[in-house]
Amino acid sequence: MSTKTEPLVLGIETSCDETGVGIVRGHTLLADEIASSVDEHARFGGVVPEVASRAHFEAMVPTMQRALDKAGVTLSDVDAIAVTAGPGLAGALLVGVAAAKAYALAAGKPIYGVNHLAAHVAVDTLEHGALPEPAIALLVSGGHSSLLRVDDLAGGVTPLGATIDDAAGEAFDKVARVLGLPFPGGPPIDRAAREGHVAIPFPRGLTAPRDLAEHRFDFSFSGLKTAVARWVEARQRAGEAVPVNDVAASFQEAVCDVLTAKAVDACREHGVETLVIGGGVAANSRIRSMAQERCDKYGITLRVPRPKLCTDNGAMVAALGSHLVAAGAAPGSLGLPSDSAMPITLVTA
């Protein structure tokens, strides 16, 4: 172990289209280097798994070296290596896990295969310190919309609800395409919404009394996406201009309304005083402001990492690895698997 009391952990993230390498000591971020292949996917309107896997393979070594240089350490200095083992794209995960095993074997370091979603919760510790337990976590990204109760991040989390069709980030991408905005859709919709008005009453999925009885904390954005597409198509058929900014603002409001309302309701129902929001969609300006308003109303402490830490990155993997090392969790073996469908109930592989 390091001569310092807090563990020095290196994290590798390759679950989708970003190659991330982060280095943390305890709750202190030392390096967070990212190589993104998003531009290579833009012409397809979505992430292409084979393209992502090849990009990870090419970016891994230079991204690793940049992170080590930024942190001012060598591989031999770290106490452990953590890597995203799932969920994510199968091929992309394999690249990261294989790289982590190679580095761990070469340097003689313990390895931890960690859950991508749990890492999105852990990254908040780099911003706000140790996570109060219990806490409620709302994770919103391109592939996941989940509500979790976190009683012990090292031991596991309890799922309260999840998306039953399109995740929030996926809906942003599809609506952006309908509006002629670039991929990925989150940032351009956020920018357009700031210039628009919430003028269109788009539906809020799974919020009717009948739905709440069965899907209290679940999410559905497929109907909302379809409603936006039909509204735009109707305007176009009528030969009328599409008010892109107003559509963006109204769509964004519907998404953020459902997400924040259910998250705050989960806190109140479970008697939990801390809400953590993570994942790429947590970088959205409206979800951050609406969540703050609603948390303030009910005396709930809101914790949201800065936008750069919300999207996929190596720092979040290193943060979870640091938490596991400090908690005395047993490392994995060099035979640890990757699992594209890794359940959130498993923090480590």
Side-chain angles (χ1 to χ4, degrees), residues 205-228:
L206 298 184
T207 58
R210 179 182 59 186
D211 295 322
L212 288 174
E214 185 176 355
H215 296 286
R216 182 79 172 92
F217 297 123
D218 290 328
F219 304 101
S220 170
F221 297 107
S222 179
L224 170 60
K225 170 207 66 181
T226 301
V228 173

Side-chain angles (χ1 to χ4, degrees), residues 173-266:
D173 290 340
K174 291 179 178 178
V175 167
R177 191 180 312 159
V178 168
L179 296 177
L181 298 174
F183 172 86
I189 285 182
D190 196 358
R191 289 192 294 269
R194 294 172 193 170
E195 305 298 323
H197 300 282
V198 181
I200 308 164
F202 289 133
R204 272 67 168 159
L206 298 184
T207 58
R210 179 182 59 186
D211 295 322
L212 288 174
E214 185 176 355
H215 296 286
R216 182 79 172 92
F217 297 123
D218 290 328
F219 304 101
S220 170
F221 297 107
S222 179
L224 170 60
K225 170 207 66 181
T226 301
V228 173
R230 288 177 176 171
W231 194 93
V232 170
E233 290 166 1
R235 294 280 294 211
Q236 292 172 333
R237 282 198 303 270
E240 300 175 0
V242 175
V244 172
N245 293 344
D246 288 351
V247 174
S250 301
F251 161 75
Q252 179 176 272
E253 191 76 3
V255 173
C256 296
D257 185 16
V258 173
L259 288 170
T260 58
K262 293 202 173 198
V264 170
D265 284 350

